[in-house]
Each structure stands twice: as C-alpha cells, then as structure tokens.
Amino acid sequence: MTDLFRQQAEERLARGAPLADRMRPRTLEEFVGQEHLVGRDGVLRRMIEADEVHSLLLWGPPGTGKTTLARIVAEATGARFAWFSAVTMGVADVKRIVAEARNALGEHGRRTVLFCDEIHRFNKAQQDAFLPHVEQGLVTLIGATTENPSFEVNAALLSRMRVYTLTPLEPEQIGNLLDRALADTGRGLGGRGLGLDPAGRKFLSEAAQGDARVALSTLELAAALVPDGTRLERADLEAALQRKAMRYDKAGEEHYNVISALHKSLRDSDPQGGLYWLARMLEAGEDPLYVARRLVRFASEDVGLADPRALEQAVAAQQAVHFIGMPEGALALAQAVVYLAIAPKSNALYEGYGRAAQDARETEREAVPLHLRNAPTGLMRDLGYGAGYRYAHDERDAVVDQEHLPASLAGRVYYEPSPRGFEARVADRMAELAERVREVREAAGRAPGAMVE
C-alpha cells in the first residue's frame, strides 16, 4: 500500500511540475542538441548502446541537457538513478545513497548511477566523499557543472572521470522544443489549442540564448496569461520573458572569460569591443573596482610608455569610481576603456621586467658592485665601498659611463622601447644617451664600463 501511495504522490507531482520538467526527453531519440555526444556516431550514444558507461562529467551552460542525459543513461542501462544536489545536500546524503547502492547491487545485482547536480558547489574536500566509491565501481558518478572542472573539481576525482562538453542549443533546436511542447497533449500544452506565430517563435528561440529551460518556462508563463485557443505573439512572449538575469558568475569561469575578452579587445585597439565587454561585466553586477584594477594593470602591461598618460587615465578612473560610486562611475571606466583602446600599444615594459625578474631570481646572491655601495663609515670606505663612483651631476649633461649591473650581467639589455607613440621618443633619448656614453668612454680611453682609479 505504501508503494501505491508513493506512486500516486509522484504522479501528482509530475502533473504539477513546470513545463520544462514535464517535457524533459526520456530517450535519446527525443533528445535535442549535442549531436557530438548523442548523435548517430556520438561517443555517449555508443557507450550507452554498448552498456559500457563510466563515470563522467557533463560541463556546459544551463538548460543544455545535463540532467536529462544522466537520467537517459540510467534508464537505457537499466541502472538505478540516484539524484544528488551539491547545493542542498551534504556528505551524510552521499553515505546514505552509497549504502542504498550497495544494497541494490547485493540484493538485486542492479547498478546505481549517482547524478551530482552542480558538483562544483561541493568544495574539494567534500568531493573526496565520492572518490572511494567511484574507484570501487560501486556507483557510476555523473557530475554536472556549469563551471570549468579544471578549477572546480578535485584533481583526484577528475582523473577518474571523463569530461564531456555540452554547448548552447541553436535557435532552431529551441524552436523545435517549443513546437513539441505546444503539440504534446500528455505532458505539454497540446490540450489548450495554443499557437505560436513565426515572429514570436523566432524571438523566443533567439532570446533564450541556447537555454531550453528558459524557453519553455517563458512559453509556460505566456500561456498562463492567455485563454485557450490563443495564437501567442512576440509581445506575449516579451511580457513573459521580461529581463533575464545575465549569465555571468563573478566567481566562476565566465568571469575570467569576459575579463579576458575585455583585455584582448583593448590590446587589439578595439574600443567597441572594449565598451561591450565592460558593459557585460558592470550590468551583471561585477565589482567596478575589480575592473579598475585590471585597467591599471593593462595600462602598464600593454601601453606602457607608448602613452604615459594611459596609467594616469586608469588610476583616475579608479579614483572616480571610488569617489562617486555606481552607476555614475561606469562612465569613468568607459572613458578609461576607450582611451586605453585607442592608445598606441607597447609591451616593452612587461617584457623588460619579465627578463629582469628572471635574472634577479637566478642571480639573487650576486654582490652589488662596490662602486654602487653606500659608504657611511670609515671601515666601509676602507673595504672599497663607493670607490670609483662618479656623481652624474658632476659630469657633462649628467651622463656617466658606469656599469650598474652585477659583473655577470654586465651589458644586459632588458627594456627595448617600441617605435610606437611616445616610446619612439624614449628610444631616441636612449640612443642619444648611449652615444654620449660612447663619447665619454672614447675620450677617457676606457673600455665599456671601466672604473676610474
């Protein structure tokens, strides 16, 4: 009797479930999208048909079929399906599910597919709870994540799973799902005689941005607001969709993807791309001071002395944001973005410091040349500290022929200015100084960097 009540409860829940859940595909034939995985020659299809499914990780944006694929795998292979949410459940639930899996295997010889939704929400220590059971083969673990597993999944666990990437659905695939939901009388909206005009279908197929759940949820809401027999138009769907939350996680991979896009747009001198990616971050709620810090870094790394004012603009934007806050501060950041985009580019400082830093690490025990050392005491002067040092202001044009690097690095060149922007003038000045040093050296009859006794 208990099983009968449970079945009736599940049926009532299913009838009241959201449209996106009711229309969830039950077989590979119903599944839409991800042809590279479940198409005729798809790797997951071949594994399912051969009944050789291993632990795996499904990585992709929301609404692309991760949960659905896990359920299909379990159903097609005759395995138990155990659902686990890393958001609402904990290690104790893992232990319970594993105990049930052990009983099912021992009593009925039935395997268990353990689906962990949003596995990235478990910290890496918690993820260890899965490891021994995956190694023993007690459960086939299928994890789902919207974040890059390289960053978010325990390396030991990741090494025992294969990663499969899911991609956003194409607009026409979304359209097919909408058509199916409107026609299905058992699970969908087919009993209401609703229609969808071409303009509305095209709008929602594109506005969902590859997310089937968004498309079906919007359709369901639009349908709830009109009487049976209505032909839904674009205006109905726009009203139901309203303004979607932007797909941007300040702590996740998309955060790094978007800041990378901003940085590369500026490096490529594209102010249009720069403004777009800036807006993507700020409109999604990114910390404006984080953006400002990245612009300050960019000013030195990719512009440098090709335009010395670039750093001033970036720092001024940071100060403006700190002073007036948001949303007004967005314009200060926009000004800095456009300035950095159109500024002449040079990574000479970045490259030069990198070479100097490498030498510094490799020669950290190299002594400072005696003539560059300070000599505040008689003992230090007796030891030769400061001997032979020439004071630049006592020399013509304040130019002196004097080595400033350790002996093993003498003559090393780190900073090589580009021929762009102000840095071209820097290059001319450096050439002028080098020529003056050569003249001083020749006049004194000394070898390069030689000391005066």
Side-chain angles (χ1 to χ4, degrees):
M1 187 64 70
T2 302
D3 291 340
L4 176 60
F5 288 151
R6 182 182 297 114
Q7 180 180 349
Q8 291 174 342
E10 290 176 353
E11 289 174 354
R12 292 191 187 99
L13 285 172
R15 287 195 297 271
L19 179 64
D21 285 332
R22 300 201 308 272
M23 292 303 300
R24 191 184 297 277
R26 295 163 295 189
T27 65
L28 288 180
E29 285 64 37
E30 291 184 359
F31 195 87
V32 174
Q34 317 308 332
E35 291 295 317
H36 62 296
L37 297 179
V38 299
R40 186 174 62 181
D41 297 319
V43 60
L44 271 180
R45 178 182 285 273
R46 295 202 307 271
M47 286 194 307
I48 292 171
E49 291 175 347
D51 197 16
E52 293 182 357
V53 177
H54 48 252
S55 291
L56 54 93
L57 192 62
L58 301 173
W59 172 30
T64 52
K66 297 184 292 295
T67 303
T68 298
L69 271 181
R71 288 184 179 276
I72 290 174
V73 166
E75 182 68 25
T77 58
R80 293 176 61 252
F81 181 82
W83 181 83
F84 177 88
S85 170
V87 177
T88 60
M89 303 169 79
V91 173
D93 296 290
V94 175
K95 293 178 179 178
R96 173 182 55 77
I97 292 171
V98 167
E100 293 171 354
R102 183 174 286 107
N103 290 337
L105 186 62
E107 295 177 8
H108 308 291
R110 195 177 181 197
R111 295 168 299 172
T112 295
V113 168
L114 170 55
F115 175 69
C116 181
D117 196 16
E118 298 193 76
I119 193 171
H120 60 277
R121 300 291 290 271
F122 246 22
N123 65 42
K124 294 185 178 181
Q126 289 173 310
Q127 290 171 18
D128 279 336
F130 297 119
L131 191 57
H133 314 298
V134 171
E135 287 181 328
Q136 295 168 11
L138 181 58
V139 296
T140 298
L141 177 63
I142 300 181
T145 179
T146 57
E147 302 300 336
N148 191 324
S150 300
F151 304 140
E152 303 295 341
V153 178
N154 183 315
L157 185 60
L158 188 60
S159 69
R160 291 162 174 81
M161 306 173 75
R162 294 185 189 176
V163 178
Y164 298 103
T165 304
L166 283 73
T167 58
L169 274 64
E170 297 296 328
E172 188 54 34
Q173 293 171 334
I174 295 287
N176 291 338
L177 291 175
L178 297 174
D179 296 340
R180 182 186 297 175
L182 287 168
D184 192 311
T185 57
R187 297 180 293 157
L189 304 171
R192 295 192 52 195
L194 298 172
L196 182 60
D197 78 346
R201 183 182 188 275
K202 182 176 186 296
F203 164 74
L204 185 52
S205 297
E206 295 175 350
Q209 296 186 12
D211 189 328
R213 188 178 295 109
V214 167
L216 292 171
S217 297
T218 303
L219 177 66
E220 182 177 30
L221 178 56
L225 300 176
V226 299
D228 290 356
T230 299
R231 184 176 174 83
L232 294 167
E233 299 179 352
R234 173 169 176 155
D236 300 311
L237 299 167
E238 286 180 337
L241 182 64
Q242 293 297 312
R243 187 172 185 266
K244 303 193 316 300
M246 297 179 72
R247 188 170 70 85
Y248 180 84
D249 183 351
K250 290 189 288 183
E253 188 201 8
E254 195 68 4
H255 164 84
Y256 298 104
N257 289 341
V258 175
I259 194 63
S260 175
L262 172 63
H263 197 122
K264 291 178 172 67
S265 297
L266 300 185
R267 181 182 291 152
D268 294 345
S269 301
D270 179 6
Q272 317 308 335
L275 282 175
Y276 172 77
W277 294 115
L278 171 69
R280 273 281 292 271
M281 287 187 290
L282 297 182
E283 293 301 311
E286 179 59 81
D287 178 3
L289 289 176
Y290 167 79
V291 179
R293 288 193 294 271
R294 291 301 298 252
L295 296 182
V296 170
R297 165 67 187 242
F298 179 91
S300 294
E301 178 178 337
D302 285 281
V303 178
L305 290 176
D307 185 345
R309 293 203 62 193
L311 185 58
E312 297 175 13
Q313 285 282 327
V315 172
Q318 180 272 329
Q319 292 176 337
V321 170
H322 184 72
F323 181 59
I324 65 175
M326 294 293 285
E328 292 83 357
L331 289 181
L333 293 173
Q335 177 176 328
V337 160
V338 172
Y339 190 97
L340 294 173
I342 64 176
K345 303 300 186 295
S346 170
N347 68 345
L349 285 173
Y350 176 79
E351 295 288 343
Y353 180 79
R355 290 190 287 267
Q358 181 176 349
D359 277 353
R361 290 190 293 268
E362 294 175 355
T363 61
E364 62 177 329
R365 297 185 181 277
E366 194 81 35
V368 175
L370 284 173
H371 65 285
L372 296 181
R373 301 186 192 186
N374 197 22
T377 69
L379 174 61
M380 298 169 86
R381 287 191 290 274
D382 291 342
L383 293 173
Y385 284 34
Y389 172 72
R390 294 193 291 280
Y391 186 54
H393 295 289
D394 291 340
E395 306 289 335
R396 176 188 166 191
D397 298 329
V399 175
V400 60
D401 176 25
Q402 189 163 241
E403 182 59 63
H404 300 96
L405 290 170
S408 65
L409 299 175
R412 190 69 62 93
V413 174
Y414 297 114
Y415 174 62
E416 299 179 88
S418 76
R420 295 181 290 277
F422 180 78
E423 210 161 37
R425 294 168 59 184
V426 174
D428 291 341
R429 175 59 176 161
M430 290 177 65
E432 177 186 334
L433 290 170
E435 177 61 21
R436 179 70 185 118
V437 168
R438 187 186 64 79
E439 292 172 356
V440 170
R441 184 182 306 140
E442 290 180 349
R446 295 194 304 270
M451 297 302 302
V452 175
E453 297 298 333

